[in-house]
Amino acid sequence: MKALSLPLPTEPLHGQIRFAKLQRPARLLFGTPLNAALTLLFGALLVVTVPPMLRWLVIDAVLFDPNPSACRAASGACWSFVYAKSGQLLFGIYPFDERWRPAIVCLLILALLGWSVRPASWAPRLLALWLAALALIFWLMGGGFGLPEVPTSSWGGLPVTLILTVVAIGVAFPAGILLALARRSTMPAIRIGAVVLIESVRGLPLLSILFVASIMMPLFLPEALLPDKFVRALVALTIFAAAYLAEVIRGGLQAIPKGQYEAAAALGLPFWRTQYLVLLPQAIRVAIPALANTIIVMIKNTSLVLVVGLFDLISSAKAALADPEWPSPAAETFLFIGAIFFALSFSFARFADFLERRGPAGH
């Protein structure tokens, strides 16, 4: 049999692939009249907006000059205010001489978060590490045992935001799983109790729950039994997050095929082992996008504690802007605060994307 011979390409194949890759952006930008019009429109918009923005942000800005009069005379951003007030913005009204303690707390929480996203660290010892770290965090922030005591009313800034976020979400996630399982229970008392709790919390805005915890609770409990204002706000955030996470997880459980339940029953697995080994891993994997969205919303909802007198990042910014010596550069200050919230939210969104890539819903 005569062997077939194919004609060789006139140029190397990798050169054709490279040329095709170069052509693709051009086709996306100018491949159709509509694409070309949109490209020109957005290009003109960038030309009009970006240069003035860069001029205000960087070129005409006052960066590190500690003199407030320099900001009054400048036509650009007053970043020197953020630089001079960075301690107050990040740590609120925490005593000046003790601000090394909240600084260590912030570094510790961020380091633990970075460690916890590594799949190699996902073991039971991680929970023990977090519990030990939280005990250390509350000791550093509150004092005692050799450190000057600082009441929670003097806590503020980034540590408050990080502590509220980590503790509220960390406790709300397992609580949400239990609520989701309770709402799907075949026992009427448990199911009705879970439905009443979830729907009551979801039917109220977070502000009203915070007001109940901070203002109305002292009217019903004696002072000896009344938790601290910080603890009450933390409990309110946790309950609110647990109700929303419960519905997200319940949606993931409903998306699991019925055959998974039947297969677990055929293997003779008891209820809790069925949930732990078969159903919950699949449900959480399916619900990762919705879970990430809910948790990001909760990260930003921690800023609402300012209405009950806690000094989070936004409260610290408002207190810093009240200094009469400075021209109150609110835009620069809230851009700085917004950048911190964006970094936290964006980092968690990237972690959720990593989880989706690591375990696709179809596998």
Side-chain angles (χ1 to χ4, degrees):
M1 181 181 293
K2 185 178 180 181
L4 295 176
S5 60
L6 297 176
L8 296 175
T10 57
E11 59 177 317
L13 183 60
H14 62 82
Q16 297 179 12
I17 296 175
R18 185 165 58 248
F19 180 71
K21 288 182 177 180
L22 292 175
Q23 282 187 320
R24 186 178 179 184
R27 289 198 303 268
L28 291 176
L29 295 175
F30 301 99
T32 64
L34 178 60
N35 286 357
L38 291 175
T39 299
L40 294 176
L41 176 62
F42 281 103
L45 184 63
L46 291 176
V47 170
V48 172
T49 58
V50 170
M53 189 180 301
L54 287 177
R55 191 178 305 111
W56 182 80
L57 287 172
V58 181
I59 299 173
D60 297 335
V62 181
L63 298 178
F64 303 108
D65 192 342
N67 189 2
S69 60
C71 284
R72 292 189 178 93
S75 58
C78 179
W79 297 117
S80 60
F81 174 82
V82 176
Y83 174 74
K85 296 287 187 179
S86 58
Q88 184 175 358
L89 292 174
L90 292 176
F91 308 126
I93 57 175
Y94 205 88
F96 182 81
D97 295 335
E98 302 293 327
R99 284 181 179 174
W100 61 271
R101 291 155 57 179
I104 292 177
V105 166
C106 293
L107 293 176
L108 179 59
I109 293 177
L110 294 175
L112 280 173
L113 289 173
W115 176 267
S116 301
V117 299
R118 299 168 58 253
S121 66
W122 297 346
R125 63 178 179 270
L126 182 62
L127 177 60
L129 179 62
W130 268 105
L131 292 176
L134 288 175
L136 178 61
I137 285 167
F138 281 98
W139 171 65
L140 284 172
M141 291 295 293
F145 300 102
L147 290 177
E149 293 189 4
V150 179
T152 56
S153 58
S154 297
W155 298 8
L158 184 59
V160 168
T161 298
L162 291 177
I163 292 172
L164 290 174
T165 300
V166 168
V167 177
I169 294 174
V171 177
F173 188 75
I177 292 176
L178 294 177
L179 282 174
L181 295 177
R183 183 158 186 172
R184 291 169 55 85
S185 174
T186 57
M187 292 181 278
I190 295 178
R191 185 178 66 253
I192 293 173
V195 170
V196 170
L197 176 59
I198 291 172
E199 297 303 330
S200 299
V201 173
R202 292 174 66 210
L204 295 173
L206 178 56
L207 283 177
S208 64
I209 298 176
L210 288 170
F211 272 119
V212 169
S214 179
I215 298 174
M216 295 186 63
M217 190 177 291
L219 301 178
F220 299 100
L221 290 178
E223 189 173 354
L225 300 177
L226 188 66
D228 184 79
K229 182 185 291 187
F230 182 86
V231 175
R232 299 200 301 269
L234 182 59
V235 171
L237 285 170
T238 303
I239 295 174
F240 188 82
Y244 278 84
L245 290 173
E247 287 300 279
V248 173
I249 295 169
R250 186 171 70 92
L253 288 170
Q254 289 179 340
I256 299 175
K258 187 178 180 180
Q260 297 293 313
Y261 295 85
E262 296 172 348
L267 291 174
L269 293 177
F271 175 81
W272 288 110
R273 289 181 65 84
T274 299
Q275 301 297 330
Y276 175 72
L277 297 175
V278 180
L279 302 180
L280 282 175
Q282 298 182 67
I284 292 173
R285 188 178 296 124
V286 169
I288 282 175
L291 286 172
N293 183 65
T294 303
I295 292 174
I296 289 173
V297 170
M298 287 306 305
I299 292 173
K300 294 179 287 186
N301 277 348
T302 57
S303 62
L304 295 177
V305 297
L306 65 92
V307 301
V308 294
L310 293 180
F311 275 79
D312 71 319
L313 277 170
I314 295 180
S315 303
S316 300
K318 289 184 176 181
L321 289 170
D323 190 344
E325 294 184 1
W326 290 86
S328 297
E332 298 88 327
T333 303
F334 286 108
L335 278 175
F336 174 71
I337 300 300
I340 295 176
F341 276 105
F342 175 80
L344 295 174
S345 302
F346 184 78
S347 299
F348 187 82
R350 299 285 69 76
F351 174 62
D353 289 343
F354 162 74
L355 292 179
E356 286 190 81
R357 293 193 301 269
R358 187 173 184 271
H363 293 75

